[in-house]
Short mmCIF file of all heavy atoms in Angstrom, two decimals:
data_model
loop_
_atom_site.label_atom_id
_atom_site.label_comp_id
_atom_site.label_asym_id
_atom_site.label_seq_id
_atom_site.Cartn_x
_atom_site.Cartn_y
_atom_site.Cartn_z
N SER A 168 -39.51 -33.59 -72.62
CA SER A 168 -40.53 -33.04 -73.51
C SER A 168 -41.47 -34.16 -73.96
O SER A 168 -41.07 -35.03 -74.74
CB SER A 168 -39.89 -32.37 -74.72
OG SER A 168 -40.86 -32.16 -75.71
N ASN A 169 -42.69 -34.11 -73.51
CA ASN A 169 -43.68 -35.10 -73.92
C ASN A 169 -43.98 -35.00 -75.42
O ASN A 169 -44.20 -36.01 -76.08
CB ASN A 169 -44.96 -34.92 -73.11
CG ASN A 169 -44.86 -35.52 -71.73
OD1 ASN A 169 -45.09 -36.70 -71.55
ND2 ASN A 169 -44.48 -34.71 -70.75
N ALA A 170 -43.96 -33.77 -75.90
CA ALA A 170 -44.26 -33.57 -77.32
C ALA A 170 -43.15 -34.16 -78.19
O ALA A 170 -43.41 -34.92 -79.13
CB ALA A 170 -44.43 -32.08 -77.62
N ASP A 171 -41.91 -33.82 -77.84
CA ASP A 171 -40.78 -34.34 -78.63
C ASP A 171 -40.76 -35.86 -78.62
O ASP A 171 -40.39 -36.49 -79.61
CB ASP A 171 -39.45 -33.82 -78.07
CG ASP A 171 -39.27 -32.34 -78.34
OD1 ASP A 171 -40.17 -31.74 -78.99
OD2 ASP A 171 -38.25 -31.78 -77.91
N ALA A 172 -41.11 -36.42 -77.47
CA ALA A 172 -41.06 -37.88 -77.35
C ALA A 172 -41.93 -38.56 -78.40
O ALA A 172 -41.64 -39.67 -78.83
CB ALA A 172 -41.49 -38.30 -75.94
N MET A 173 -43.01 -37.88 -78.79
CA MET A 173 -43.91 -38.51 -79.75
C MET A 173 -43.37 -38.46 -81.17
O MET A 173 -43.81 -39.23 -82.03
CB MET A 173 -45.28 -37.81 -79.72
CG MET A 173 -46.00 -37.89 -78.39
SD MET A 173 -45.96 -39.53 -77.62
CE MET A 173 -47.18 -40.42 -78.56
N ALA A 174 -42.46 -37.55 -81.41
CA ALA A 174 -41.96 -37.39 -82.79
C ALA A 174 -41.33 -38.69 -83.30
O ALA A 174 -41.59 -39.10 -84.44
CB ALA A 174 -40.95 -36.25 -82.84
N ASP A 175 -40.56 -39.34 -82.45
CA ASP A 175 -39.93 -40.59 -82.87
C ASP A 175 -40.96 -41.66 -83.16
O ASP A 175 -40.82 -42.43 -84.11
CB ASP A 175 -38.97 -41.09 -81.76
CG ASP A 175 -37.75 -40.22 -81.63
OD1 ASP A 175 -37.42 -39.51 -82.60
OD2 ASP A 175 -37.13 -40.23 -80.55
N THR A 176 -41.98 -41.71 -82.30
CA THR A 176 -43.04 -42.69 -82.52
C THR A 176 -43.70 -42.48 -83.88
O THR A 176 -43.87 -43.43 -84.66
CB THR A 176 -44.09 -42.59 -81.40
OG1 THR A 176 -43.49 -42.89 -80.15
CG2 THR A 176 -45.24 -43.55 -81.65
N VAL A 177 -44.04 -41.24 -84.15
CA VAL A 177 -44.72 -40.94 -85.42
C VAL A 177 -43.79 -41.21 -86.60
O VAL A 177 -44.20 -41.78 -87.62
CB VAL A 177 -45.22 -39.47 -85.43
CG1 VAL A 177 -45.79 -39.11 -86.79
CG2 VAL A 177 -46.27 -39.28 -84.35
N ALA A 178 -42.53 -40.84 -86.45
CA ALA A 178 -41.56 -41.09 -87.53
C ALA A 178 -41.45 -42.59 -87.81
O ALA A 178 -41.42 -43.02 -88.97
CB ALA A 178 -40.20 -40.52 -87.14
N LEU A 188 -53.31 -41.94 -89.05
CA LEU A 188 -53.11 -42.12 -87.62
C LEU A 188 -54.32 -41.67 -86.81
O LEU A 188 -55.02 -40.73 -87.20
CB LEU A 188 -51.89 -41.32 -87.14
CG LEU A 188 -50.56 -41.53 -87.86
CD1 LEU A 188 -49.44 -40.82 -87.09
CD2 LEU A 188 -50.24 -43.00 -88.04
N PHE A 190 -55.25 -40.81 -82.58
CA PHE A 190 -54.67 -40.64 -81.24
C PHE A 190 -55.75 -40.95 -80.23
O PHE A 190 -56.85 -40.40 -80.27
CB PHE A 190 -54.15 -39.22 -81.05
CG PHE A 190 -53.54 -39.00 -79.69
CD1 PHE A 190 -52.21 -39.33 -79.44
CD2 PHE A 190 -54.30 -38.48 -78.64
CE1 PHE A 190 -51.64 -39.13 -78.19
CE2 PHE A 190 -53.74 -38.28 -77.39
CZ PHE A 190 -52.41 -38.61 -77.16
N ARG A 200 -50.04 -33.46 -69.58
CA ARG A 200 -48.99 -34.28 -70.19
C ARG A 200 -49.58 -35.04 -71.37
O ARG A 200 -48.98 -35.14 -72.43
CB ARG A 200 -48.39 -35.25 -69.19
CG ARG A 200 -47.19 -34.68 -68.46
CD ARG A 200 -46.88 -35.50 -67.23
NE ARG A 200 -48.06 -35.63 -66.39
CZ ARG A 200 -48.61 -34.64 -65.73
NH1 ARG A 200 -48.08 -33.43 -65.80
NH2 ARG A 200 -49.69 -34.80 -65.01
N GLY A 201 -50.79 -35.56 -71.20
CA GLY A 201 -51.47 -36.25 -72.29
C GLY A 201 -51.70 -35.30 -73.45
O GLY A 201 -51.50 -35.66 -74.62
N ALA A 202 -52.10 -34.10 -73.13
CA ALA A 202 -52.36 -33.11 -74.18
C ALA A 202 -51.07 -32.77 -74.93
O ALA A 202 -51.06 -32.61 -76.16
CB ALA A 202 -52.97 -31.85 -73.58
N ALA A 203 -49.98 -32.69 -74.18
CA ALA A 203 -48.69 -32.40 -74.82
C ALA A 203 -48.31 -33.51 -75.78
O ALA A 203 -47.79 -33.27 -76.87
CB ALA A 203 -47.61 -32.22 -73.75
N ARG A 204 -48.59 -34.75 -75.38
CA ARG A 204 -48.29 -35.87 -76.27
C ARG A 204 -49.15 -35.80 -77.52
O ARG A 204 -48.67 -35.99 -78.63
CB ARG A 204 -48.53 -37.20 -75.52
CG ARG A 204 -47.44 -37.51 -74.53
CD ARG A 204 -47.78 -38.67 -73.63
NE ARG A 204 -47.12 -38.47 -72.32
CZ ARG A 204 -47.47 -39.04 -71.20
NH1 ARG A 204 -48.49 -39.88 -71.16
NH2 ARG A 204 -46.82 -38.78 -70.08
N ARG A 205 -50.42 -35.51 -77.31
CA ARG A 205 -51.35 -35.38 -78.44
C ARG A 205 -50.84 -34.32 -79.42
O ARG A 205 -50.73 -34.55 -80.62
CB ARG A 205 -52.73 -34.97 -77.92
CG ARG A 205 -53.80 -34.83 -78.97
CD ARG A 205 -54.97 -34.05 -78.40
NE ARG A 205 -54.54 -32.70 -78.02
CZ ARG A 205 -55.13 -31.95 -77.10
NH1 ARG A 205 -56.16 -32.41 -76.44
NH2 ARG A 205 -54.67 -30.74 -76.83
N ASP A 206 -50.49 -33.16 -78.88
CA ASP A 206 -50.01 -32.08 -79.74
C ASP A 206 -48.73 -32.48 -80.44
O ASP A 206 -48.50 -32.10 -81.60
CB ASP A 206 -49.78 -30.81 -78.90
CG ASP A 206 -51.10 -30.28 -78.34
OD1 ASP A 206 -52.17 -30.73 -78.80
OD2 ASP A 206 -51.04 -29.43 -77.43
N GLY A 207 -47.92 -33.25 -79.74
CA GLY A 207 -46.68 -33.72 -80.35
C GLY A 207 -46.96 -34.62 -81.54
O GLY A 207 -46.29 -34.54 -82.58
N VAL A 208 -47.96 -35.47 -81.41
CA VAL A 208 -48.33 -36.37 -82.50
C VAL A 208 -48.84 -35.57 -83.69
O VAL A 208 -48.43 -35.78 -84.83
CB VAL A 208 -49.41 -37.38 -82.03
CG1 VAL A 208 -49.95 -38.16 -83.23
CG2 VAL A 208 -48.82 -38.32 -80.99
N ILE A 209 -49.71 -34.61 -83.38
CA ILE A 209 -50.29 -33.79 -84.45
C ILE A 209 -49.19 -33.04 -85.21
O ILE A 209 -49.14 -33.04 -86.44
CB ILE A 209 -51.31 -32.79 -83.86
CG1 ILE A 209 -52.53 -33.55 -83.32
CG2 ILE A 209 -51.74 -31.77 -84.91
CD1 ILE A 209 -53.49 -32.69 -82.52
N ALA A 210 -48.29 -32.45 -84.44
CA ALA A 210 -47.21 -31.67 -85.05
C ALA A 210 -46.29 -32.55 -85.89
O ALA A 210 -45.94 -32.21 -87.03
CB ALA A 210 -46.41 -30.96 -83.96
N ALA A 211 -45.94 -33.71 -85.32
CA ALA A 211 -45.03 -34.60 -86.03
C ALA A 211 -45.66 -35.13 -87.32
O ALA A 211 -45.02 -35.22 -88.37
CB ALA A 211 -44.62 -35.76 -85.12
N ALA A 212 -46.94 -35.45 -87.24
CA ALA A 212 -47.65 -35.96 -88.43
C ALA A 212 -47.69 -34.89 -89.51
O ALA A 212 -47.45 -35.16 -90.70
CB ALA A 212 -49.06 -36.41 -88.05
N ALA A 213 -47.99 -33.67 -89.09
CA ALA A 213 -48.06 -32.57 -90.05
C ALA A 213 -46.70 -32.36 -90.72
O ALA A 213 -46.61 -32.18 -91.94
CB ALA A 213 -48.50 -31.29 -89.34
N LYS A 214 -45.68 -32.41 -89.90
CA LYS A 214 -44.33 -32.19 -90.41
C LYS A 214 -43.94 -33.24 -91.45
O LYS A 214 -43.22 -32.97 -92.40
CB LYS A 214 -43.36 -32.23 -89.23
CG LYS A 214 -42.01 -31.59 -89.52
CD LYS A 214 -41.21 -31.44 -88.23
CE LYS A 214 -39.74 -31.22 -88.52
NZ LYS A 214 -38.93 -31.46 -87.32
N LEU A 215 -44.43 -34.46 -91.25
CA LEU A 215 -44.09 -35.55 -92.16
C LEU A 215 -45.07 -35.65 -93.33
O LEU A 215 -45.01 -36.59 -94.12
CB LEU A 215 -44.06 -36.88 -91.39
CG LEU A 215 -42.94 -37.01 -90.36
CD1 LEU A 215 -43.15 -38.24 -89.50
CD2 LEU A 215 -41.58 -37.06 -91.05
N VAL A 220 -54.48 -36.09 -88.02
CA VAL A 220 -54.66 -37.17 -87.06
C VAL A 220 -56.06 -37.12 -86.46
O VAL A 220 -56.52 -36.05 -86.06
CB VAL A 220 -53.60 -37.07 -85.94
CG1 VAL A 220 -53.77 -38.19 -84.92
CG2 VAL A 220 -52.20 -37.08 -86.53
N MET A 222 -58.76 -37.73 -83.57
CA MET A 222 -58.72 -37.83 -82.11
C MET A 222 -59.82 -38.77 -81.63
O MET A 222 -60.98 -38.62 -82.02
CB MET A 222 -58.96 -36.44 -81.48
CG MET A 222 -57.89 -35.44 -81.80
SD MET A 222 -56.28 -36.01 -81.18
CE MET A 222 -55.26 -35.65 -82.60
N VAL A 253 -52.18 -44.38 -82.02
CA VAL A 253 -51.18 -43.87 -81.07
C VAL A 253 -51.90 -43.60 -79.74
O VAL A 253 -52.81 -42.77 -79.69
CB VAL A 253 -50.53 -42.58 -81.59
CG1 VAL A 253 -49.50 -42.06 -80.59
CG2 VAL A 253 -49.90 -42.81 -82.95
#
Side-chain angles (χ1 to χ4, degrees):
Chain A
S168 165
N169 281 275
D171 289 359
M173 298 316 283
D175 290 338
T176 297
V177 174
L188 307 189
F190 180 85
R200 269 164 307 291
R204 285 170 210 159
R205 181 197 62 205
D206 295 346
V208 171
I209 293 171
K214 198 169 162 196
L215 293 170
V220 180
M222 296 299 135
V253 180

